[in-house]
Amino acid sequence: ARLCTEAQPGNVGPRARAFISTIVQPDVCLALWRDCAAVLSHVPLEEQTQFVVQVADFAKALPALLAPATELWIAVWGRAEGDEELVACLEELVQSSARTSAGAAPALAQLIRSFENAFSWAPQVLNSAFGVVEASVAPAGSPWPLTKALVPMYGLVLQHSAKILLRQPVPALPLLGALASWSDETELGRELRAQ
């Protein structure tokens, strides 16, 4: 990583690519996280996306990588909004952590805000994105940390889905069903149903 930061402008990209390609174990990724983040902007966007997918996969084995994986997802999503691999990667992060952590909440909130631009996404990406949000909703009576953290965002998802529905089909019914399955008997249920 030091060689990347000391490299001439013409050499930074190849050195950054070489460094990123050496990150093949979760513990190495965690130990060198700051260096990885520092050099990632010097590799092509497609390789950045692949690295996000790899780090998300590492986070399943090493939960300490959940926050870095989320930060990385947000940074790359800003340059590759609507990317199918990033949506699938976020779904894996959600499924592996929703029951025990709200760590993926910032990335999901970013995805939800991005629904404002979803008219330009491929239909399968839009469908997958709604699936990711639905995966974040706990079954009725199970107060997942991720669901609790996203309560304020679910109303925004429904607003965006109504706007998108004016132009194209939206698979929002399962999400609506998941939210409606909560009863008013719990505080979380009341908050979810209020959305």
Side-chain angles (χ1 to χ4, degrees), residues 12-35:
V12 174
R15 288 184 180 184
R17 292 170 89 180
F19 175 71
I20 292 295
S21 71
T22 66
I23 309 299
V24 295
Q25 296 293 326
D27 56 336
V28 173
C29 184
L30 184 61
L32 297 175
W33 179 251
R34 290 191 192 280
D35 296 325

Side-chain angles (χ1 to χ4, degrees), residues 140-157:
S142 299
W144 292 354
L146 185 58
T147 304
K148 289 179 180 181
L150 289 171
V151 166
M153 299 302 295
Y154 292 125
L156 184 58
V157 174

Side-chain angles (χ1 to χ4, degrees), residues 85-110:
E85 284 185 286
L86 287 176
V87 172
C89 164
L90 183 56
E91 184 166 20
E92 287 184 21
L93 283 173
V94 167
Q95 290 175 346
S96 67
S97 66
R99 290 167 183 79
T100 58
S101 170
L108 263 162
Q110 185 67 34

Side-chain angles (χ1 to χ4, degrees), residues 57-144:
D57 193 45
F58 290 163
K60 290 187 284 186
L62 187 60
L65 280 170
L66 178 60
T70 300
E71 292 171 17
L72 183 61
W73 189 95
I74 292 168
V76 174
W77 181 257
R79 294 184 293 277
E81 186 176 292
D83 183 88
E84 191 167 6
E85 284 185 286
L86 287 176
V87 172
C89 164
L90 183 56
E91 184 166 20
E92 287 184 21
L93 283 173
V94 167
Q95 290 175 346
S96 67
S97 66
R99 290 167 183 79
T100 58
S101 170
L108 263 162
Q110 185 67 34
L111 175 71
I112 291 167
R113 285 188 291 275
S114 297
F115 281 144
E116 186 173 345
N117 306 315
F119 300 108
S120 63
W121 300 357
Q124 70 272 15
V125 174
L126 184 60
N127 291 347
S128 295
F130 273 98
V132 173
V133 177
E134 180 188 349
S136 74
V137 179
S142 299
W144 292 354

